[in-house]
Amino acid sequence: MARIIVVTSGKGGVGKTTTSAAIAMGLAKKGHKTAVIDFDVGLRNLDLIMGCERRVVYDFVNVINGEASLNQALIRDKNCNQLYILPASQTRDKDALNQEGVGKILDELKKDFKYIVCDSPAGIEKGAHLAMYFADDAFVVTNPEVSSVRDSDRMLGILASKSRRAEQNEEPIKEYLLLSRYSPDRVRLGEMLSVDDVQEILSLHLLGVIPESKSVLNASNSGMPIILDEKSDAGQAYADIVARYLGEDKPHRFIEDKKGFFGKLFGSK
Amino acid sequence: MSTDPHKTPYTPSALEFKSSTFSVPVLVLTSDDLIAVEQQLQDKIGLAPEFFRNSPLIIDLQEINKKGYDIDVAELTEVLRNSGLLPIGIRGGNVQQNEQALDLLIPVYSIHNVGASAETQERKTITPAPEPETDAADNISTTLITQPVRSGQRVYSSGDLIILAQVSAGAEIMAEGNIHVYSTLRGRALAGVQGDTEARIFCSDLQAELISIAGNYKISEDLDETVRKKPVQIYLQNHTLIIKDIV
Ligand SMILES: Nc1ncnc2c1ncn2[C@@H]1O[C@H](COP(=O)(O)OP(=O)(O)OP(=O)(O)O)[C@@H](O)[C@H]1O
Ligand SMILES: [Mg+2]
């Protein structure tokens, strides 16, 4: 059975698109046929992060309006032939998407793909609503600061009451916490919330912690999802996240600060 | 290549009728004095302004008509709308009142077909869906919630409210009766919202933004450090909120 994953947050700029690109690539590299959809109509940038911006012919809105078929619009990734990208439109406004059209496209994708990753726009308005409405799983991307946590909480309420699963009284969406841009040094200085603080407020299953890392910016500048940079800490964090999501048992990393982390590493060996 | 429905031989259906049951508050009027009605309405709304803003409402005139009073439905509607309420039906009215309602495009319901109240009698387990319960005096039910109540969600119970999960900051829970939270209470909790001064709030970890019983409230800042993050009960004594450990 295909599964629809929404990558959502409420607050903007927390790392949804970075995460969508990374986990879609991670799932595809594990051999699962995966599609990643940019729901951020008007501001598309998933194609930039995926490095396929120069191959966009048709987009999500064209497919919804019947101006192109899904096959015409899907772009096959240059690094992994199990991965396809459905870009957003840059020229339409947000109202170009509608629930029925989105539902039809997802149904069609479900016949052919194992995972469908939906990169949500920020906010809790229509675009974010459509991105989460049909989801089976939600990756809630949160930064370790109060306003991001509050917005995630808000989004969790919406997932629990306004999604298709909620409306049809089905089993609720499975919710996972991805704590991103985490910096143990700054937690220690009291400038950021700790993993425990965030967990206590949200009481949500932690899928992984992604450290604040310069490698993320480098990766997006070169149009390569960060997970392909296997040497980078953030890339490894996303690889762990994909593995955990697929049921592998991986201990959490990147929670302690560097000294503590290495200390622990040497201590345990 | 947009599809033109007039040219395609097969027209997909554009609509469908479905039957659904909604819970809507019922306003039972007991006086024909519109000034008093407006005043008391304002007082009630003041207790939970967010909850009542743009709330749909059924007007119930049964009591008034029993007493032989009369009321001008147009004027009443005006008062309600000015208070931010949206009347969507009338019941228990006489012929003239019903006609007046229909002139105002307000549907008339018979007092007997207030559907499904027998089914809703049983105890409900719901995920937080901020819909008001039917306010029939004979239908005071306990609302049980098993999922977290998240920021931005509101829950209202016309009876007691029992919550088995956390209530987040930015969430609002309200009950005409008591409130029990068997987890951390970080949001706003208002018990006895229709004026029941006997109502109490119980929670196993008090970190609330606001607590209120029958309109007597305390905000987070006023909470004493000795009770913060503790299991407590909150009740009213001589118009003062008492917060006490439960051990
Ligand atoms: N782990 C990280 N370390 C450092 N920078 C990061 C990390 N994750 C994301 N960023 C940076 O944060 C910025 C926002 O990331 P991204 O575009 O993925 O967020 P978003 O949630 O999709 O934003 P929007 O709400 O605008 O869609 C980008 O500049 C990205 O490079
Ligand atoms: Mg984005």
Side-chain angles (χ1 to χ4, degrees):
Chain A
M1 258 309 269
R3 280 198 86 79
I4 300 174
I5 302 170
V6 62
V7 179
T8 186
S9 68
K11 193 172 161 67
V14 297
K16 292 178 294 295
T17 301
T18 305
T19 299
S20 300
I23 59 155
M25 177 61 82
L27 290 165
K29 282 209 335 171
K30 291 253 183 190
H32 303 291
K33 196 168 175 192
T34 301
V36 55
I37 307 179
D38 191 347
F39 274 79
D40 209 344
V41 173
L43 287 173
R44 77 167 188 223
N45 52 29
L46 178 71
D47 51 345
L48 289 173
I49 310 267
M50 302 290 306
C52 65
E53 74 279 9
R54 276 176 291 173
R55 291 191 286 144
V56 175
V57 183
Y58 296 109
D59 58 50
F60 197 6
V61 175
N62 291 135
V63 183
I64 286 204
N65 291 346
E67 293 152 358
S69 73
L70 200 46
N71 280 333
Q72 284 175 305
L74 284 170
I75 302 171
R76 175 181 270 190
D77 186 78
K78 57 181 190 276
N79 293 299
C80 180
N81 63 11
Q82 293 285 67
L83 178 59
Y84 290 78
I85 299 116
L86 183 55
S89 172
Q90 249 168 338
T91 53
R92 314 287 180 112
D93 68 47
K94 284 173 269 174
D95 292 330
L97 298 184
N98 60 71
Q99 185 158 306
E100 199 204 346
V102 171
K104 268 195 196 149
I105 292 184
L106 290 174
D107 277 344
E108 208 175 322
L109 286 169
K110 275 168 102 169
K111 291 183 202 145
D112 210 22
F113 287 87
K114 181 74 212 296
Y115 293 105
I116 301 154
V117 177
C118 302
D119 178 19
S120 174
I124 53 173
E125 321 276 276
K126 191 175 168 196
H129 189 273
L130 284 172
M132 70 86 200
Y133 185 75
F134 296 96
D136 302 303
D137 300 314
F139 286 12
V140 179
V141 182
T142 305
N143 291 166
E145 41 138 332
V146 174
S147 65
S148 173
V149 172
R150 175 70 67 93
D151 284 2
S152 294
D153 192 70
R154 186 102 197 239
M155 186 46 76
L156 287 162
I158 293 170
L159 294 172
S161 58
K162 304 259 168 70
S163 61
R164 186 190 60 84
R165 281 173 173 270
E167 282 182 5
Q168 306 196 347
N169 257 322
E170 290 178 22
E171 194 184 315
I173 294 177
K174 282 211 176 66
E175 302 156 343
Y176 301 93
L177 173 63
L178 279 72
L179 192 56
S180 186
R181 310 200 66 164
Y182 196 74
S183 164
D185 293 343
R186 297 191 55 195
V187 172
R188 197 160 29 81
L189 292 171
E191 295 172 358
M192 270 187 181
L193 299 175
S194 70
V195 182
D196 289 345
D197 294 338
V198 178
Q199 283 273 77
E200 180 174 334
I201 299 173
L202 292 179
S203 54
L204 204 60
H205 179 76
L206 178 70
L207 198 57
V209 173
I210 305 117
E212 171 78 25
S213 167
K214 286 203 183 69
S215 57
V216 173
L217 191 59
N218 296 337
S220 61
N221 282 338
S222 57
M224 299 264 282
I226 180 67
I227 200 167
L228 294 175
D229 183 353
E230 290 169 11
K231 292 210 182 65
S232 71
D233 46 1
Q236 292 172 16
Y238 279 116
D240 282 4
I241 283 170
V242 169
R244 282 188 205 109
Y245 175 69
L246 293 174
E248 283 176 51
D249 193 12
K250 294 242 172 203
H252 283 288
R253 296 196 270 168
F254 313 111
I255 293 177
E256 321 266 309
D257 58 54
K258 294 242 163 49
K259 238 161 73 203
F261 173 64
F262 281 116
K264 226 178 156 184
L265 204 69
F266 292 134
S268 68
K269 277 201 174 164
Chain B
M1 201 188 84
S2 72
T3 36
D4 180 344
H6 298 292
K7 285 186 188 142
T8 38
Y10 166 69
T11 315
S13 75
L15 52 78
E16 185 184 355
F17 278 106
K18 282 191 168 169
S19 164
S20 278
T21 316
F22 294 92
S23 294
V24 177
V26 176
L27 180 72
V28 183
L29 283 184
T30 49
S31 161
D32 60 351
D33 177 356
L34 278 177
I35 299 187
V37 167
E38 179 160 23
Q39 182 56 50
Q40 291 180 22
L41 206 55
Q42 290 304 339
D43 293 348
K44 288 246 194 288
I45 290 174
L47 291 172
E50 271 303 313
F51 176 74
F52 286 107
R53 185 167 303 146
N54 294 330
S55 171
L57 187 80
I58 305 274
I59 303 166
D60 187 329
L61 297 180
Q62 191 173 215
E63 291 300 314
I64 289 206
N65 289 328
K66 257 192 221 157
K67 292 183 185 161
Y69 299 157
D70 195 16
I71 200 158
D72 187 294
V73 175
E75 281 174 22
L76 172 63
T77 305
E78 181 81 15
V79 165
L80 295 176
R81 293 205 171 127
N82 286 342
S83 307
L85 298 166
L86 302 172
I88 56 159
I90 188 168
R91 71 179 194 190
N94 59 33
V95 176
Q96 186 203 341
Q97 289 161 342
N98 289 349
E99 267 172 17
Q100 235 187 330
L102 286 172
D103 283 344
L104 295 161
L105 302 178
I106 296 177
V108 174
Y109 295 92
S110 101
I111 207 95
H112 302 291
N113 70 1
V114 207
S117 66
E119 291 157 42
T120 48
Q121 281 278 359
E122 62 198 79
R123 237 152 142 255
K124 283 178 237 96
T125 307
I126 53 168
T127 40
E131 292 299 328
E133 308 271 303
T134 318
D135 187 21
D138 52 58
N139 184 19
I140 295 184
S141 57
T142 296
T143 303
L144 175 68
I145 294 199
T146 55
Q147 302 288 319
V149 185
R150 301 284 186 180
S151 177
Q153 292 189 298
R154 281 181 299 155
V155 178
Y156 188 95
S157 171
S158 54
D160 286 357
L161 179 58
I162 302 178
I163 300 183
L164 301 180
Q166 66 174 25
V167 177
S168 295
E172 191 165 51
I173 55 174
M174 283 176 279
E176 291 176 22
N178 305 303
I179 292 178
H180 306 250
V181 179
Y182 294 97
S183 182
T184 308
L185 169 59
R186 293 195 180 85
R188 299 155 63 91
L190 298 90
V193 288
Q194 298 293 344
D196 182 359
T197 52
E198 299 294 308
R200 294 186 179 210
I201 298 172
F202 306 83
C203 70
S204 47
D205 179 1
L206 177 69
Q207 303 183 29
E209 294 171 318
L210 176 140
I211 45 171
S212 161
I213 291 173
N216 301 271
Y217 67 88
K218 263 193 180 164
I219 53 176
S220 173
E221 257 182 23
D222 304 336
L223 292 183
D224 202 289
E225 283 308 316
T226 56
V227 293
R228 198 183 285 277
K229 301 197 172 186
K230 297 270 163 51
V232 296
Q233 65 160 318
I234 301 154
Y235 55 94
L236 214 48
Q237 208 170 55
N238 303 325
H239 304 286
T240 310
L241 279 184
I242 311 287
I243 308 178
K244 257 207 167 133
D245 283 34
I246 20 180
V247 198

